[in-house]
Amino acid sequence: MVKGLEGIIAAETQISLVDGTKGHLVYRGQWAKDLAVRHTFEESAYLLWHGALPTPLQLAEFKNELARGRRLTPELRSLLEAIPPHTPLMNTLQAAVTALAGNAPAWPPALEQAVQLTALLPTLIAYRRHQLSGTPLSEGADTEEDHAAYYLHLLSGHPASEAQVRALNAYMVLAMEHGLNASTFAARVVASTESDLYSAVGAAIGAMKGPLHGGAPSGVIRLLDSIGTADRAEPVLRAMLERGERLMGFGHRVYKTRDPRAEALREVCAGLAGGDPWLDLARDTEETAIRLLAEYKPGRALYTNVEFYAAAVMRAAAMPTELFTPTFTAARIVGWTTHVLEQAQHNRIYRPQSLYTGNMPASDA
Ligand SMILES: CC(C)(COP(=O)(O)OP(=O)(O)OC[C@H]1O[C@@H](n2cnc3c(N)ncnc32)[C@H](O)[C@@H]1OP(=O)(O)O)[C@@H](O)C(=O)NCCC(=O)NCCS
């Protein structure tokens, strides 16, 4: 028996490669790092769904399709109004997504359904946020805007800076797909029963909600908060290491070398130097942390993990902490739906065995 199915290969996929030893993350034959630095959320999502980057014409058509899918129907608005305010946002998203199944054919899942859900998630998150805080959803946000820009515009009510958009875009590209993680596996299991795509995504959202998976990088936020300015990085971090504490955002269990997602986000943040104080603080803190970790933990090869830069990007984008996991969800939905579509192509229902360790009846059968 392999607890947690660790190391078990449960699916063949052409979608992505995650190699923790070499520090490789590949989406459909392209380095995810390059996609995050040079391409948009739209282009990367298109690549995952279609297997190739879009031509300019294909991209324009795809962006139109996304723009059309962004509006909330009156039925969805009513549903969101009816959900009690204390219901966690992830459960609210789950309810809204599964309600969309409506009369759509359940099987096979369709790419249009995947695009529709991906287009809608930022609007759902922002609508709910404004609904609960009693503020109006920005009518100024243009549904033609790029995905990351549109999301930030809807949330804050004003257009985001270029630095914020580029940083969030890079994060969303890197968070889009990561092999057969718990939520993606959940989506594939549901799809394997020939259930609909909406139910598969609903299950994935449920898995993503758990702190072991989609948990917010709040430890990193606290660390950066306690540092405040770059000149305080060394004394604060040194004191932590002297006390035997761990520096949040450093070290990784799978990546035994540099986490390619952290590398890519660093590159984007470096390109935005001077564009945002949070990104500058993150970059300066990282340099100091790596140096001090090498001094206090020689030979451990401790590098920056994705949580570190995810926190910096979220902070720079003025994203409230409670929206970290929903934002991760708005990106990962591309990976989930791509896996559901792939599962449907060569489907076989998942049916592992369990090892019975309970008692047997006292009498013979
Ligand atoms: C992520 C993490 C659990 C991976 O742990 P791991 O690969 O199993 O490594 P271990 O926990 O066995 O630690 C190995 C050594 O490095 C040290 N170490 C690991 N990460 C460290 C960190 N972030 N800060 C300081 N020391 C660290 C450990 O104290 C240990 O030192 P020791 O051998 O002197 O006792 C660990 O690096 C960590 O706790 N990081 C901080 C939390 C974090 O950023 N989480 C988000 C992950 S995406």
Side-chain angles (χ1 to χ4, degrees):
M1 191 206 47
V2 180
K3 225 174 172 185
L5 300 183
E6 209 170 319
I8 300 289
I9 294 175
E12 257 185 29
T13 183
Q14 301 205 336
I15 302 167
S16 71
L17 166 77
V18 183
D19 187 329
T21 314
K22 295 189 182 132
H24 288 171
L25 179 57
V26 174
Y27 293 173
R28 299 263 194 210
Q30 311 253 5
W31 298 113
K33 179 178 186 308
D34 291 348
L35 292 167
V37 175
R38 297 198 194 94
H39 293 276
T40 60
F41 174 90
E42 287 84 337
E43 290 169 311
S44 309
Y46 190 98
L47 168 72
L48 283 187
W49 281 325
H50 293 269
L53 284 165
T55 63
L57 183 64
Q58 287 168 334
L59 182 61
E61 282 171 1
F62 177 55
K63 285 170 85 166
N64 280 338
E65 196 182 346
L66 277 178
R68 282 196 302 275
R70 283 179 174 150
R71 298 228 177 270
L72 287 187
T73 59
E75 289 81 10
L76 261 185
R77 281 174 196 253
S78 309
L79 175 81
L80 292 173
E81 304 293 342
I83 295 177
H86 57 260
T87 302
L89 181 50
M90 292 295 279
N91 297 75
T92 303
L93 294 180
Q94 213 175 17
V97 161
T98 51
L100 278 166
N103 294 328
W107 188 264
L111 178 58
E112 300 74 56
Q113 298 169 339
V115 177
Q116 179 208 12
L117 283 185
T118 304
L120 201 58
L121 264 189
T123 319
L124 278 174
I125 295 168
Y127 183 88
R128 183 66 173 172
R129 169 112 188 130
H130 285 286
Q131 184 199 348
L132 293 183
S133 57
T135 52
L137 189 69
S138 169
E139 297 300 333
D142 181 357
T143 52
E144 308 288 314
E145 283 178 278
D146 277 358
H147 207 64
Y150 177 71
Y151 181 37
L152 288 175
H153 194 160
L154 272 190
L155 283 174
S156 71
H158 51 78
S161 72
E162 199 195 326
Q164 289 177 321
V165 172
R166 281 199 54 200
L168 184 67
N169 180 79
Y171 166 74
M172 290 185 82
V173 170
L174 292 162
M176 198 175 264
E177 163 62 13
H178 210 231
L180 211 55
N181 53 83
S183 58
T184 303
F185 186 48
R188 279 190 92 126
V189 169
V190 172
S192 81
T193 69
E194 296 198 1
S195 184
D196 58 273
L197 180 130
Y198 304 91
S199 301
V201 170
I205 294 175
M208 174 68 97
K209 185 187 169 198
L212 295 187
H213 188 4
S218 46
V220 182
I221 293 281
R222 275 197 301 278
L223 178 71
L224 289 175
D225 267 340
S226 70
I227 292 172
T229 51
D231 57 311
R232 283 179 32 82
E234 174 135 7
V236 171
L237 297 178
R238 197 176 276 285
M240 287 179 74
L241 289 168
E242 288 286 346
R243 289 194 299 267
E245 291 175 22
R246 292 193 174 207
L247 307 185
M248 291 296 126
F250 297 89
H252 198 276
R253 192 147 293 166
V254 175
Y255 287 114
K256 291 304 172 199
T257 177
R258 292 174 180 273
D259 180 338
R261 299 165 301 170
E263 293 278 290
L265 285 180
R266 177 196 303 109
E267 200 173 320
V268 172
C269 294
L272 300 172
D276 186 284
W278 270 101
L279 299 181
D280 295 343
L281 177 64
R283 207 196 41 221
D284 293 341
T285 301
E286 182 194 23
E287 267 174 38
T288 312
I290 299 272
R291 178 165 50 78
L292 293 182
L293 282 169
E295 183 186 325
Y296 282 82
K297 299 281 170 188
R300 304 293 198 292
L302 295 171
Y303 296 109
T304 324
N305 63 47
V306 70
E307 298 286 328
F308 182 79
Y309 273 105
V313 164
M314 295 293 189
R315 251 316 166 115
M319 189 70 70
T321 317
E322 58 275 22
L323 294 192
F324 285 7
T325 310
T327 303
F328 186 5
T329 303
R332 184 55 62 84
I333 190 167
V334 178
W336 293 334
T337 52
T338 314
H339 277 270
V340 166
L341 293 165
E342 186 180 65
Q343 178 69 32
Q345 280 171 8
H346 313 281
N347 191 39
R348 184 163 170 84
I349 189 169
Y350 283 96
R351 182 51 175 101
Q353 304 266 356
S354 52
L355 179 69
Y356 179 65
T357 57
N359 295 329
M360 288 301 284
S363 56
D364 288 344

